[in-house]
Amino acid sequence: MKAYAQAGVDVDLGNRVKAGISKMVRSTRRPEVIGSIGGFGGLFAPNFKGMRKPTLVASIDGVGTKLKVANLLERHDTIGEDLVNHCVNDIAVIGAEPLFFLDYIGVSMLDQEMFAGVIKGLSRGCAKSGCALLGGETAQMPGLYHGRDYDLVGAIVGVVDGKAMIDGSKIKPGDVIIGAASSGLHTNGYSLAREIIFNKLGMRVDDRVTGMRENIGAALLKTHVNYLPIIRKLRAKVKIKGMAHITGGGLVDNLPRVLPSSTKAVIELGSWPIPPLFKFLAAEANVPDEELYQVFNMGIGMAFVVAKKDEAAALKLTGGYTIGRIEKGGGDVELVSVPKVATAKKTKKKKKK
């Protein structure tokens, strides 16, 4: 083991660090989980009573270069929750409920504080969603990863009744698009954001942008919103025809994933408030609107398509905005500016003499 440690891989440290996370992982336990972490595979005995056609839904994703921001701030306790929430949202758009989650952490050299912070975030995210953290892999690979850099990837498995799956097939012209607000960049667009903020402008993490309450570092590290509670509330009251998680590709690339090929989504720019961080990035990026709305979520983290008659109820339940409508088209997205509404001029009444 000494020779391996000299080569940069401390197996004993890895075992000690992993031994300290059992309490956090237990907080995510579900009745279907068999055994404990540490085996060659996680065991999960599902119970699908009440479902006519139980269908498993799986997704895998990473946090991306948001990890660079976590390293700059030396804060790693939110990154794991970012990852879980991202993956939960990805399967929730189909109508799935999460069952269990698996993670992968790749590092150059294992840092105990970083590792504990990441697992804390993963456990917190899983517990909030009722999702078991079933296991994971931690790989020390000096030479592939360098310095404090690390990678974080997660896979989620959920279940949906095939008879109640939300696939967008019922979307038709006349439906409306409701957007639920994001907390910030979520887990996408960080390569461009970091290029603008830290390279082009030379800003530091504790610098501030006009209109923002927190410093730029805190704004960039805000946790990816978990929309599952909103989706559950909305499904109980309204028929959701389609949902799109606005991640990499923004509104431009994600909405077409749920649209029938004979329709298009018309997004009305200006129909929701753009958060200060996005206004700042838009001004500094100097790129066309279409690219902005393809790189960043621009303040909308989840889009719901509902019938016009359900618009008011959906707005109330989501706390969101009507950001567009469905028209006949070719399965794409059209960005349009909302025309300015003319306001009547007030005239002063003449006083009677």
Side-chain angles (χ1 to χ4, degrees):
M1 292 296 179
K2 246 182 193 180
Y4 207 9
Q6 287 175 350
V9 180
D10 192 334
V11 175
D12 292 334
L13 173 62
N15 290 333
R16 290 195 302 273
V17 169
K18 291 173 189 176
I21 65 170
S22 57
K23 185 177 180 181
M24 288 186 279
V25 174
R26 280 200 303 272
S27 71
T28 74
R29 192 176 179 88
R30 291 173 52 125
E32 301 97 328
V33 176
I34 299 172
S36 58
I37 60 169
F40 286 104
L43 300 176
F44 191 93
N47 179 355
F48 297 142
K49 286 182 180 178
M51 288 193 177
R52 292 175 292 173
K53 187 181 178 183
T55 305
L56 294 178
V57 183
S59 184
I60 186 168
D61 221 309
V63 179
T65 60
K66 188 172 186 175
L67 293 168
K68 292 276 192 182
V69 181
N71 263 332
L72 281 172
L73 276 88
E74 296 184 355
R75 183 180 175 186
H76 308 278
D77 62 325
T78 61
I79 290 295
E81 192 169 357
D82 280 321
L83 180 60
V84 173
N85 291 352
H86 184 128
C87 291
V88 166
N89 292 338
D90 277 352
I91 65 168
V93 298
I94 306 168
E97 287 285 332
L99 296 174
F100 59 84
F101 191 87
L102 300 161
D103 68 88
Y104 164 83
I105 305 172
V107 299
S108 173
M109 294 184 67
L110 194 58
D111 179 282
Q112 192 164 351
E113 188 176 344
M114 176 276 289
F115 183 81
V118 170
I119 300 301
K120 182 179 180 181
L122 289 169
S123 301
R124 184 169 58 238
C126 284
K128 286 180 180 178
S129 294
C131 180
L133 182 53
L134 199 59
E137 165 69 5
T138 304
Q140 298 180 65
M141 294 188 284
L144 183 59
Y145 298 101
H146 301 281
R148 292 170 53 84
D149 286 345
Y150 65 99
D151 198 11
L152 178 63
V153 178
I156 193 168
V157 174
V159 63
V160 62
D161 191 331
K163 300 291 185 181
M165 195 179 297
I166 300 170
D167 60 6
S169 61
K170 303 296 184 183
I171 293 174
K172 63 181 182 181
D175 291 339
V176 295
I177 305 166
I178 307 296
S182 67
S183 60
L185 268 66
H186 282 181
T187 47
N188 292 100
Y190 280 84
S191 293
L192 178 57
R194 289 186 308 104
E195 175 64 28
I196 293 169
I197 293 167
F198 301 121
N199 295 341
K200 177 185 173 184
L201 300 177
M203 295 178 70
R204 298 174 301 180
V205 291
D206 57 353
D207 286 340
R208 291 181 177 269
V209 171
T210 302
M212 286 171 49
R213 295 180 180 179
E214 63 280 294
N215 62 41
I216 196 70
L220 290 174
L221 208 59
K222 276 189 173 179
T223 306
H224 194 129
V225 176
N226 182 337
Y227 294 99
L228 185 59
I230 291 176
I231 292 170
R232 286 170 174 163
K233 282 197 304 181
L234 193 58
R235 289 192 76 186
K237 301 288 184 180
V238 171
K239 182 178 179 180
I240 306 173
K241 295 190 174 187
M243 290 183 275
H245 184 200
I246 311 305
T247 59
L251 286 161
V252 173
D253 287 347
N254 283 292
L255 272 167
R257 298 164 76 173
V258 298
L259 294 178
S261 58
S262 60
T263 66
K264 70 176 178 180
V266 179
I267 300 299
E268 299 175 341
L269 305 185
S271 58
W272 72 91
I274 304 296
L277 176 59
F278 292 103
K279 288 182 179 179
F280 171 71
L281 291 171
E284 295 295 338
N286 194 27
V287 298
D289 279 347
E290 187 164 349
E291 186 172 354
L292 277 177
Y293 286 82
Q294 195 172 27
V295 175
F296 302 120
N297 64 59
M298 298 303 288
I300 297 296
M302 183 70 74
F304 305 92
V305 181
V306 300
K308 178 67 177 175
K309 67 180 179 65
D310 292 323
E311 179 181 6
L315 287 171
K316 184 177 180 180
L317 290 163
T318 62
Y321 312 91
T322 300
I323 65 169
R325 60 191 182 274
I326 302 297
E327 294 183 356
K328 289 182 180 179
D332 55 350
V333 171
E334 181 183 354
L335 304 177
V336 299
S337 296
V338 178
K340 291 182 179 180
V341 180
T343 55
K345 291 182 179 180
K346 291 183 179 179
T347 56
K348 290 183 180 179
K349 291 183 179 179
K350 291 183 179 180
K351 290 181 180 181
K352 292 182 179 180
K353 291 181 180 179

